[in-house]
Amino acid sequence: TISGAGSDQLTDCVCIAGHTAEADGEACAPCEAGTYKTAMGSGDCLACPANTMSGAGSDQLTDCVCNAGYYGPGGDSCGACPANANSAAGSDAVTDCVCNAGYYGPGGDSCATCDAGSWCPGGTTITACPANANSAAGSDAITDCVCIAGYYVHAASLTCSGSCPCSPSSGQRSGTIRS
């Protein structure tokens, strides 16, 4: 709340930007999250535009930043990240959009499905399955890599081996590679 010099009436007390009250002279409360108010006084807080969010007490349209999955300077101009990509809240450029798990690429403009025989944790990384292992396209973890027929997982090294004594003490088993 603020009042001008020489104020002598309770109604001379008005809310500062980012705050509102039912009427001048009443207790002011911060604008709720997702709203803003640029003017002083008891006026209403305005809702942030679609795909944006602000903190409580916001006093500028530019305090409304893009939601996760969107990018832009905030305010009223947030665009969706490209297909198969996401961004953190507050991202301001398409390059902030990174590929989701199961995809890889530069992000901002395109994300490709992870190739068969590989796994992609997201972002720009594509990692080949270990030798003698394969995975389906779109795999997102090393545990998606499975030893090909005739090979067995060597648990200690996360590799697939062709010679398997298959005894409990050998450290080898058939199936999926586990990290």
Side-chain angles (χ1 to χ4, degrees):
T1 306
I2 192 169
S3 63
S7 298
D8 61 358
Q9 298 291 318
L10 182 60
T11 55
D12 291 338
C13 297
V14 296
C15 297
I16 60 173
H19 293 72
T20 192
E22 290 292 320
D24 290 341
E26 292 187 12
C28 299
C31 291
E32 293 181 7
T35 66
Y36 69 99
K37 182 172 151 262
T38 60
M40 292 188 357
S42 58
D44 291 334
C45 299
L46 304 172
C48 286
N51 306 315
T52 66
M53 178 54 81
S54 68
S58 294
D59 61 4
Q60 298 292 320
L61 174 61
T62 53
D63 291 339
C64 299
V65 297
C66 298
N67 290 336
Y70 294 83
Y71 67 93
D76 60 356
S77 55
C78 295
C81 285
N84 306 311
N86 210 343
S87 66
S91 295
D92 59 6
V94 69
T95 53
D96 293 332
C97 298
V98 295
C99 297
N100 296 330
Y103 298 86
Y104 72 101
D109 56 357
S110 65
C111 294
T113 301
C114 194
D115 301 333
S118 301
W119 60 281
C120 302
T124 60
T125 305
I126 181 169
T127 304
C129 287
N132 304 312
N134 205 353
S135 66
S139 294
D140 61 7
I142 193 168
T143 55
D144 293 333
C145 298
V146 177
C147 295
I148 60 175
Y151 290 83
Y152 303 89
V153 176
H154 188 271
S157 64
L158 299 178
T159 59
C160 296
S161 174
S163 57
C164 178
C166 294
S167 68
S169 63
S170 71
Q172 298 174 325
R173 64 187 191 287
S174 62
T176 302
I177 297 173
R178 304 201 188 278
S179 55

